[in-house]
Short mmCIF file of all heavy atoms in Angstrom, two decimals:
data_model
loop_
_atom_site.label_atom_id
_atom_site.label_comp_id
_atom_site.label_asym_id
_atom_site.label_seq_id
_atom_site.Cartn_x
_atom_site.Cartn_y
_atom_site.Cartn_z
N ASP A 1 0.82 -1.20 0.00
CA ASP A 1 0.00 0.00 0.00
C ASP A 1 0.86 1.26 0.00
O ASP A 1 0.52 2.27 -0.63
CB ASP A 1 -0.93 0.01 1.22
CG ASP A 1 -2.05 -1.01 1.10
OD1 ASP A 1 -2.31 -1.50 -0.03
OD2 ASP A 1 -2.67 -1.34 2.14
N GLN A 2 1.98 1.23 0.72
CA GLN A 2 2.89 2.37 0.75
C GLN A 2 3.40 2.72 -0.65
O GLN A 2 3.57 3.88 -1.00
CB GLN A 2 4.07 2.09 1.69
CG GLN A 2 3.70 2.04 3.16
CD GLN A 2 4.87 1.61 4.03
OE1 GLN A 2 5.94 1.23 3.54
NE2 GLN A 2 4.70 1.68 5.34
N MET A 3 3.64 1.69 -1.45
CA MET A 3 4.13 1.91 -2.81
C MET A 3 3.05 2.40 -3.75
O MET A 3 3.35 3.02 -4.78
CB MET A 3 4.75 0.61 -3.35
CG MET A 3 5.94 0.09 -2.56
SD MET A 3 7.38 1.18 -2.57
CE MET A 3 7.95 0.99 -4.25
N LYS A 4 1.78 2.16 -3.37
CA LYS A 4 0.67 2.52 -4.27
C LYS A 4 0.06 3.88 -4.00
O LYS A 4 -0.61 4.45 -4.86
CB LYS A 4 -0.43 1.45 -4.18
CG LYS A 4 -0.10 0.13 -4.86
CD LYS A 4 -1.31 -0.75 -5.07
CE LYS A 4 -1.95 -1.18 -3.80
NZ LYS A 4 -3.10 -2.13 -4.03
N VAL A 5 0.24 4.41 -2.78
CA VAL A 5 -0.44 5.66 -2.44
C VAL A 5 0.01 6.80 -3.34
O VAL A 5 1.17 6.89 -3.74
CB VAL A 5 -0.23 6.06 -0.95
CG1 VAL A 5 -0.85 5.04 -0.02
CG2 VAL A 5 1.25 6.26 -0.64
N LYS A 6 -0.95 7.66 -3.68
CA LYS A 6 -0.68 8.84 -4.49
C LYS A 6 -0.92 10.09 -3.65
O LYS A 6 -1.96 10.21 -3.00
CB LYS A 6 -1.57 8.87 -5.73
CG LYS A 6 -1.42 7.64 -6.63
CD LYS A 6 -0.02 7.53 -7.22
CE LYS A 6 0.10 6.31 -8.14
NZ LYS A 6 1.50 6.14 -8.64
N PRO A 7 0.03 11.03 -3.63
CA PRO A 7 -0.13 12.21 -2.79
C PRO A 7 -1.22 13.15 -3.28
O PRO A 7 -1.40 13.34 -4.49
CB PRO A 7 1.25 12.88 -2.86
CG PRO A 7 1.83 12.40 -4.16
CD PRO A 7 1.31 11.01 -4.37
N VAL A 8 -1.95 13.72 -2.35
CA VAL A 8 -2.91 14.80 -2.62
C VAL A 8 -2.25 16.08 -2.13
O VAL A 8 -1.93 16.21 -0.94
CB VAL A 8 -4.24 14.56 -1.91
CG1 VAL A 8 -5.20 15.73 -2.17
CG2 VAL A 8 -4.87 13.24 -2.36
N TYR A 9 -2.06 17.05 -3.02
CA TYR A 9 -1.27 18.23 -2.69
C TYR A 9 -2.12 19.47 -2.45
O TYR A 9 -3.19 19.65 -3.03
CB TYR A 9 -0.29 18.55 -3.82
CG TYR A 9 0.89 17.60 -3.93
CD1 TYR A 9 1.03 16.78 -5.05
CD2 TYR A 9 1.85 17.53 -2.93
CE1 TYR A 9 2.12 15.92 -5.16
CE2 TYR A 9 2.94 16.68 -3.04
CZ TYR A 9 3.08 15.88 -4.15
OH TYR A 9 4.16 15.04 -4.26
N LYS A 10 -1.59 20.32 -1.60
CA LYS A 10 -2.08 21.69 -1.45
C LYS A 10 -0.98 22.61 -1.97
O LYS A 10 0.18 22.48 -1.61
CB LYS A 10 -2.39 22.03 0.02
CG LYS A 10 -2.91 23.45 0.25
CD LYS A 10 -3.26 23.67 1.72
CE LYS A 10 -3.65 25.13 1.96
NZ LYS A 10 -4.91 25.49 1.23
N LYS A 11 -1.37 23.53 -2.85
CA LYS A 11 -0.40 24.41 -3.50
C LYS A 11 -0.16 25.68 -2.68
O LYS A 11 -1.09 26.25 -2.11
CB LYS A 11 -0.88 24.79 -4.89
CG LYS A 11 0.11 25.60 -5.73
CD LYS A 11 -0.45 25.86 -7.12
CE LYS A 11 0.52 26.69 -7.96
NZ LYS A 11 -0.02 26.95 -9.32
N PHE A 12 1.10 26.11 -2.63
CA PHE A 12 1.47 27.33 -1.93
C PHE A 12 2.31 28.21 -2.87
O PHE A 12 3.12 27.69 -3.65
CB PHE A 12 2.29 27.04 -0.67
CG PHE A 12 1.52 26.36 0.41
CD1 PHE A 12 1.30 24.99 0.37
CD2 PHE A 12 1.00 27.08 1.47
CE1 PHE A 12 0.58 24.35 1.37
CE2 PHE A 12 0.28 26.44 2.48
CZ PHE A 12 0.06 25.08 2.41
N ALA A 13 2.12 29.49 -2.76
CA ALA A 13 2.96 30.42 -3.52
C ALA A 13 4.32 30.53 -2.84
O ALA A 13 4.41 30.67 -1.62
CB ALA A 13 2.29 31.79 -3.60
N GLY A 14 5.37 30.41 -3.63
CA GLY A 14 6.71 30.58 -3.08
C GLY A 14 6.96 32.02 -2.69
O GLY A 14 6.20 32.93 -3.05
N TRP A 15 8.04 32.28 -1.97
CA TRP A 15 8.32 33.63 -1.49
C TRP A 15 9.38 34.33 -2.32
O TRP A 15 9.45 35.55 -2.32
CB TRP A 15 8.72 33.64 -0.01
CG TRP A 15 9.65 32.52 0.41
CD1 TRP A 15 11.00 32.52 0.47
CD2 TRP A 15 9.26 31.23 0.87
NE1 TRP A 15 11.50 31.34 0.91
CE2 TRP A 15 10.45 30.51 1.19
CE3 TRP A 15 8.04 30.60 1.06
CZ2 TRP A 15 10.44 29.22 1.66
CZ3 TRP A 15 8.04 29.30 1.54
CH2 TRP A 15 9.23 28.62 1.83
N LEU A 16 10.19 33.58 -3.09
CA LEU A 16 11.17 34.14 -4.03
C LEU A 16 11.98 35.27 -3.39
O LEU A 16 12.31 36.27 -4.04
CB LEU A 16 10.46 34.62 -5.30
CG LEU A 16 9.71 33.54 -6.09
CD1 LEU A 16 8.95 34.15 -7.26
CD2 LEU A 16 10.68 32.47 -6.58
N LYS A 17 12.26 35.14 -2.14
CA LYS A 17 13.10 36.09 -1.40
C LYS A 17 14.09 35.30 -0.55
O LYS A 17 13.81 34.19 -0.14
CB LYS A 17 12.25 37.01 -0.52
CG LYS A 17 11.35 37.95 -1.28
CD LYS A 17 10.54 38.82 -0.32
CE LYS A 17 9.61 39.75 -1.08
NZ LYS A 17 8.77 40.56 -0.15
N LYS A 18 15.22 35.91 -0.27
CA LYS A 18 16.26 35.24 0.51
C LYS A 18 15.85 35.15 1.99
O LYS A 18 15.53 36.14 2.62
CB LYS A 18 17.57 36.01 0.39
CG LYS A 18 18.74 35.38 1.14
CD LYS A 18 19.99 36.23 1.00
CE LYS A 18 21.14 35.64 1.83
NZ LYS A 18 22.36 36.50 1.75
N THR A 19 15.87 33.91 2.52
CA THR A 19 15.64 33.71 3.95
C THR A 19 16.92 33.29 4.67
O THR A 19 16.96 33.28 5.91
CB THR A 19 14.56 32.64 4.20
OG1 THR A 19 15.02 31.37 3.68
CG2 THR A 19 13.24 33.02 3.56
N LYS A 20 17.96 32.95 3.92
CA LYS A 20 19.21 32.49 4.53
C LYS A 20 19.77 33.55 5.48
O LYS A 20 19.94 34.70 5.13
CB LYS A 20 20.24 32.17 3.45
CG LYS A 20 21.51 31.52 4.00
CD LYS A 20 22.43 31.10 2.87
CE LYS A 20 23.67 30.39 3.45
NZ LYS A 20 24.56 29.91 2.37
N GLY A 21 20.02 33.11 6.71
CA GLY A 21 20.60 34.01 7.69
C GLY A 21 19.60 34.76 8.55
O GLY A 21 19.98 35.41 9.53
N ILE A 22 18.32 34.68 8.22
CA ILE A 22 17.29 35.37 9.02
C ILE A 22 17.18 34.73 10.40
O ILE A 22 17.14 33.51 10.51
CB ILE A 22 15.93 35.36 8.30
CG1 ILE A 22 15.97 36.28 7.07
CG2 ILE A 22 14.80 35.78 9.24
CD1 ILE A 22 14.70 36.27 6.24
N ASN A 23 17.12 35.53 11.44
CA ASN A 23 16.99 35.00 12.80
C ASN A 23 15.84 35.62 13.58
O ASN A 23 15.78 35.49 14.81
CB ASN A 23 18.30 35.14 13.57
CG ASN A 23 18.82 36.56 13.59
OD1 ASN A 23 18.08 37.53 13.39
ND2 ASN A 23 20.12 36.71 13.83
N LYS A 24 14.92 36.27 12.89
CA LYS A 24 13.72 36.82 13.51
C LYS A 24 12.49 36.45 12.69
O LYS A 24 12.51 36.57 11.46
CB LYS A 24 13.82 38.34 13.65
CG LYS A 24 14.89 38.82 14.62
CD LYS A 24 14.89 40.33 14.71
CE LYS A 24 15.96 40.82 15.69
NZ LYS A 24 15.99 42.32 15.73
N TRP A 25 11.43 36.02 13.37
CA TRP A 25 10.19 35.65 12.69
C TRP A 25 9.65 36.80 11.84
O TRP A 25 9.19 36.59 10.71
CB TRP A 25 9.14 35.21 13.72
CG TRP A 25 7.77 34.99 13.15
CD1 TRP A 25 6.72 35.87 13.22
CD2 TRP A 25 7.31 33.86 12.42
NE1 TRP A 25 5.63 35.34 12.57
CE2 TRP A 25 5.96 34.10 12.06
CE3 TRP A 25 7.90 32.66 12.02
CZ2 TRP A 25 5.19 33.19 11.35
CZ3 TRP A 25 7.13 31.74 11.30
CH2 TRP A 25 5.79 32.02 10.96
N GLU A 26 9.72 37.99 12.37
CA GLU A 26 9.18 39.16 11.69
C GLU A 26 9.86 39.42 10.35
O GLU A 26 9.28 40.04 9.45
CB GLU A 26 9.31 40.42 12.57
CG GLU A 26 8.51 40.38 13.86
CD GLU A 26 9.16 39.51 14.93
OE1 GLU A 26 10.38 39.22 14.82
OE2 GLU A 26 8.44 39.10 15.86
N SER A 27 11.09 38.96 10.21
CA SER A 27 11.86 39.23 8.99
C SER A 27 11.57 38.23 7.86
O SER A 27 12.02 38.45 6.73
CB SER A 27 13.36 39.21 9.31
OG SER A 27 13.68 40.17 10.29
N LEU A 28 10.85 37.16 8.15
CA LEU A 28 10.54 36.18 7.12
C LEU A 28 9.53 36.74 6.13
O LEU A 28 8.62 37.49 6.50
CB LEU A 28 9.95 34.91 7.75
CG LEU A 28 10.91 33.97 8.49
CD1 LEU A 28 10.11 32.86 9.18
CD2 LEU A 28 11.93 33.36 7.53
N PRO A 29 9.64 36.37 4.84
CA PRO A 29 8.62 36.76 3.86
C PRO A 29 7.25 36.21 4.27
O PRO A 29 7.16 35.15 4.88
CB PRO A 29 9.11 36.13 2.56
CG PRO A 29 10.57 35.86 2.78
CD PRO A 29 10.73 35.59 4.23
N ASN A 30 6.19 36.92 3.90
CA ASN A 30 4.84 36.51 4.29
C ASN A 30 4.48 35.11 3.80
O ASN A 30 3.85 34.32 4.51
CB ASN A 30 3.80 37.52 3.79
CG ASN A 30 3.81 38.80 4.62
OD1 ASN A 30 4.15 38.78 5.81
ND2 ASN A 30 3.42 39.91 4.00
N ASN A 31 4.87 34.79 2.57
CA ASN A 31 4.55 33.47 2.03
C ASN A 31 5.29 32.36 2.76
O ASN A 31 4.79 31.24 2.89
CB ASN A 31 4.84 33.42 0.53
CG ASN A 31 3.79 34.14 -0.29
OD1 ASN A 31 2.71 34.49 0.21
ND2 ASN A 31 4.09 34.39 -1.56
N ALA A 32 6.48 32.65 3.25
CA ALA A 32 7.22 31.68 4.06
C ALA A 32 6.49 31.45 5.38
O ALA A 32 6.39 30.32 5.87
CB ALA A 32 8.65 32.16 4.30
N LYS A 33 5.97 32.53 5.97
CA LYS A 33 5.21 32.42 7.22
C LYS A 33 3.96 31.57 7.01
O LYS A 33 3.60 30.74 7.86
CB LYS A 33 4.80 33.81 7.72
CG LYS A 33 5.95 34.66 8.23
CD LYS A 33 5.43 36.02 8.67
CE LYS A 33 6.55 36.91 9.16
NZ LYS A 33 6.06 38.28 9.51
N LYS A 34 3.27 31.77 5.88
CA LYS A 34 2.07 30.98 5.58
C LYS A 34 2.39 29.49 5.46
O LYS A 34 1.66 28.63 5.94
CB LYS A 34 1.42 31.49 4.28
CG LYS A 34 0.77 32.86 4.40
CD LYS A 34 0.21 33.31 3.05
CE LYS A 34 -0.38 34.72 3.14
NZ LYS A 34 -0.88 35.18 1.81
N TYR A 35 3.51 29.20 4.78
CA TYR A 35 3.96 27.82 4.59
C TYR A 35 4.23 27.17 5.95
O TYR A 35 3.80 26.04 6.23
CB TYR A 35 5.22 27.84 3.72
CG TYR A 35 5.76 26.50 3.30
CD1 TYR A 35 5.31 25.87 2.14
CD2 TYR A 35 6.77 25.88 4.03
CE1 TYR A 35 5.84 24.66 1.72
CE2 TYR A 35 7.31 24.66 3.63
CZ TYR A 35 6.84 24.06 2.48
OH TYR A 35 7.37 22.84 2.07
N ILE A 36 4.94 27.88 6.80
CA ILE A 36 5.32 27.36 8.12
C ILE A 36 4.10 27.20 9.02
O ILE A 36 3.95 26.19 9.72
CB ILE A 36 6.36 28.28 8.76
CG1 ILE A 36 7.67 28.25 7.95
CG2 ILE A 36 6.63 27.88 10.22
CD1 ILE A 36 8.63 29.37 8.29
N LYS A 37 3.20 28.18 9.01
CA LYS A 37 2.00 28.12 9.84
C LYS A 37 1.12 26.93 9.45
O LYS A 37 0.50 26.29 10.29
CB LYS A 37 1.20 29.43 9.72
CG LYS A 37 1.80 30.57 10.53
CD LYS A 37 0.95 31.83 10.36
CE LYS A 37 1.50 32.98 11.21
NZ LYS A 37 0.71 34.24 10.98
N PHE A 38 1.08 26.64 8.14
CA PHE A 38 0.27 25.50 7.70
C PHE A 38 0.84 24.20 8.26
O PHE A 38 0.08 23.34 8.71
CB PHE A 38 0.22 25.42 6.17
CG PHE A 38 -0.63 24.27 5.69
CD1 PHE A 38 -1.99 24.41 5.55
CD2 PHE A 38 -0.06 23.03 5.39
CE1 PHE A 38 -2.80 23.34 5.13
CE2 PHE A 38 -0.84 21.96 4.98
CZ PHE A 38 -2.21 22.12 4.84
N ILE A 39 2.16 24.05 8.22
CA ILE A 39 2.78 22.85 8.79
C ILE A 39 2.42 22.72 10.26
O ILE A 39 2.06 21.64 10.73
CB ILE A 39 4.31 22.91 8.59
CG1 ILE A 39 4.65 22.77 7.10
CG2 ILE A 39 5.01 21.81 9.40
CD1 ILE A 39 6.12 22.98 6.77
N LYS A 40 2.51 23.82 11.00
CA LYS A 40 2.16 23.81 12.43
C LYS A 40 0.71 23.39 12.64
O LYS A 40 0.41 22.51 13.46
CB LYS A 40 2.39 25.20 13.02
CG LYS A 40 1.90 25.33 14.47
CD LYS A 40 2.09 26.74 15.00
CE LYS A 40 1.05 27.69 14.48
NZ LYS A 40 -0.30 27.47 15.05
N ASP A 41 -0.20 23.99 11.91
CA ASP A 41 -1.64 23.72 12.09
C ASP A 41 -2.00 22.30 11.67
O ASP A 41 -2.77 21.61 12.34
CB ASP A 41 -2.47 24.73 11.32
CG ASP A 41 -2.36 26.14 11.88
OD1 ASP A 41 -1.97 26.28 13.06
OD2 ASP A 41 -2.64 27.11 11.14
N TYR A 42 -1.45 21.85 10.55
CA TYR A 42 -1.78 20.51 10.05
C TYR A 42 -1.26 19.44 10.99
O TYR A 42 -1.98 18.48 11.31
CB TYR A 42 -1.21 20.30 8.65
CG TYR A 42 -1.61 18.97 8.04
CD1 TYR A 42 -2.71 18.87 7.19
CD2 TYR A 42 -0.92 17.80 8.33
CE1 TYR A 42 -3.09 17.66 6.64
CE2 TYR A 42 -1.30 16.58 7.79
CZ TYR A 42 -2.38 16.52 6.95
OH TYR A 42 -2.75 15.30 6.42
N CYS A 43 -0.02 19.58 11.43
CA CYS A 43 0.60 18.56 12.29
C CYS A 43 0.13 18.66 13.73
O CYS A 43 0.29 17.71 14.51
CB CYS A 43 2.12 18.66 12.22
SG CYS A 43 2.80 18.31 10.58
N GLY A 44 -0.41 19.82 14.11
CA GLY A 44 -0.89 19.99 15.47
C GLY A 44 0.22 20.09 16.50
O GLY A 44 0.03 19.76 17.67
N VAL A 45 1.39 20.56 16.05
CA VAL A 45 2.55 20.69 16.93
C VAL A 45 3.15 22.09 16.75
O VAL A 45 3.31 22.57 15.63
CB VAL A 45 3.63 19.63 16.62
CG1 VAL A 45 4.80 19.76 17.60
CG2 VAL A 45 3.05 18.23 16.70
N LYS A 46 3.51 22.72 17.85
CA LYS A 46 4.11 24.05 17.80
C LYS A 46 5.45 24.03 17.09
O LYS A 46 6.18 23.04 17.18
CB LYS A 46 4.29 24.60 19.22
CG LYS A 46 3.03 24.93 19.96
CD LYS A 46 3.31 25.51 21.32
CE LYS A 46 3.78 24.44 22.25
NZ LYS A 46 3.92 24.96 23.65
N ILE A 47 5.76 25.11 16.40
CA ILE A 47 7.08 25.29 15.82
C ILE A 47 7.96 25.94 16.89
O ILE A 47 7.70 27.06 17.34
CB ILE A 47 7.05 26.18 14.57
CG1 ILE A 47 6.05 25.65 13.52
CG2 ILE A 47 8.46 26.29 13.97
CD1 ILE A 47 6.41 24.34 12.89
N SER A 48 8.99 25.23 17.32
CA SER A 48 9.86 25.76 18.37
C SER A 48 11.02 26.59 17.81
O SER A 48 11.49 27.52 18.45
CB SER A 48 10.41 24.64 19.25
OG SER A 48 11.33 23.85 18.55
#
């Protein structure tokens, strides 16, 4: 079954901005924040 499953995707807009070296949440591009928040909400676990 693992070999047969097909992924169902949700599409996100990329941020096309440099995040390398950023060390503050406020400095992240908005689309990067949306991507990260979705992971947190879907998995039900806080991002530390």
Side-chain angles (χ1 to χ4, degrees):
D1 288 343
Q2 291 174 353
M3 298 296 288
K4 287 195 296 184
V5 296
K6 301 297 181 184
V8 178
Y9 287 114
K10 180 177 175 65
K11 185 177 179 180
F12 292 80
W15 41 93
L16 300 175
K17 294 180 181 177
K18 182 182 176 182
T19 63
K20 187 174 182 177
I22 290 177
N23 54 22
K24 293 181 180 178
W25 172 260
E26 296 77 18
S27 301
L28 286 173
N30 285 332
N31 284 348
K33 290 179 181 176
K34 290 178 183 178
Y35 185 88
I36 294 166
K37 283 180 178 177
F38 181 86
I39 292 173
K40 173 182 77 72
D41 292 340
Y42 184 96
C43 296
V45 182
K46 292 182 286 186
I47 305 293
S48 70

